[in-house]
Amino acid sequence: MMADNNILNYDTVALDDSRHALVIIDQTRLPNHIEMLALTEQKEIWDAIYLLKVRGAPAIGVAAAIGIYLAARQISTDDYDTFCQKFKEASDYLNSSRPTAVNLSWALKRMEQLVIRMKGQPVARIVEALHDEALAIREEDINVCRAIGKNGLALVNPGDGLLTHCNAGQLATVRYGTATAPMYLGKEEGYDFKIYCDETRPLLQGARLTSFELSSAGMDVTVLCDNMSASLMRQGKINAVFVGCDRVARNGDTANKIGTSMVALAARRYNVPFYVCAPTSTIDMSIGGGDGIVIEQRKAEEVTAMWYKQPMAPEGVKVYNPAFDVTDADLITGIVTEFGVAYPPYEDSLARIFLKKEVHSKVVDLLK
Ligand code: MRU
């Protein structure tokens, strides 16, 4: 355990220029051990993403951006074409670590586009620009999450009971989180929420991570098993649900941590608004609907053995362990982005959000 026990004082994901390393908190060891890892090799970075040492869609995107910059600086050539080929190989490798969170490929594509735009310039200058782009992606994440927090906070009232599933918090981003951003901003403004965290089987991101970071921030947090949220909703204790997402399709269907769709179904039954907090980097307009989203399947041991002294299922039994499920768009009250809240029909409202984004980046470019 590190000397400082407040998890919010550590960077989830950062670049250490002096060591040329991706620095992350090892999330598999939380909440009992705060351990920082400095990763320099591509295999280490791939493993860290696959093993969920760094996890959560935006944090994975930032880790990939820093990771591919580190790969680029290790390519020893002055020839642009050779550089490009090796860069693409490294990018494909990192991209294969997890399939569902679109931020991974989004960040890698953004880095690759920079390489393409800089054709003709010295390789050393391209590597420098990749460094700056990775840091820009990291910095933008903070602003995006804060904007999501502001837009989400407008949907709730002081004293509300808020339910969240998995960890879409600071540990899944650079700061604020997405689903937790309205909670952090509410805390700054004295909203006094009662936060309920689903423990989130099988990897316990809610119990281990969300409740840890929110209680470190001094919030009123209660952990519950995944099969308990409907009972809270029936008692009227939940005023709104905020969840994150790994990939939102054009029609609003949303892939998020397994169990999210169950929460959405219960919320519909008990008339509780169900909000998906989505940076536009997690919205994949190239996919029409949820059936087009690849769902990661994970090892059986995560369900049968991981948290127990002895296996809790007979040896060899078949196990169903998808990491994510798809919540149908018609169960989602609104999708909270950094450019405002999208409401059904999502094909139209998400298109308008992207239009706003385009206008915004043109204005930013003009002001440069
Ligand atoms: O498997 P994980 O822990 O990476 O899954 C994370 C989630 O499902 C989060 O809700 C999602 O990535 C949003 S993070 C802001």
Side-chain angles (χ1 to χ4, degrees), residues 7-8 167 169-171 180 184 209-217:
I7 192 66
L8 298 168
N167 174 266
Q170 172 152 319
L171 286 163
T180 58
Y184 281 112
L209 309 177
T210 310
S211 76
F212 186 34
E213 60 165 271
L214 296 184
S215 50
S216 297

Side-chain angles (χ1 to χ4, degrees), residues 52 55-58 98 166-168 172 178 205 244-246 256-257 324:
L52 275 59
R55 47 147 299 285
R98 292 193 78 185
C166 192
N167 174 266
T178 57
Q205 288 94 331
C245 52
D246 284 80
N256 189 48
K257 181 51 57 196
F324 304 98

Side-chain angles (χ1 to χ4, degrees), residues 33 37 59 99 129 138 184 188 201 227 239 245 247 259 283-284 291 293 296 307 338 353 357 366:
H33 303 275
L37 303 175
R138 184 178 182 279
Y184 281 112
E188 283 174 15
R201 286 276 297 155
N227 50 5
N239 300 95
C245 52
R247 196 181 291 246
I283 303 172
D284 185 351
D291 290 347
I293 301 176
E296 176 184 7
W307 308 104
E338 71 272 31
I353 292 280
K357 183 177 178 167
L366 276 174

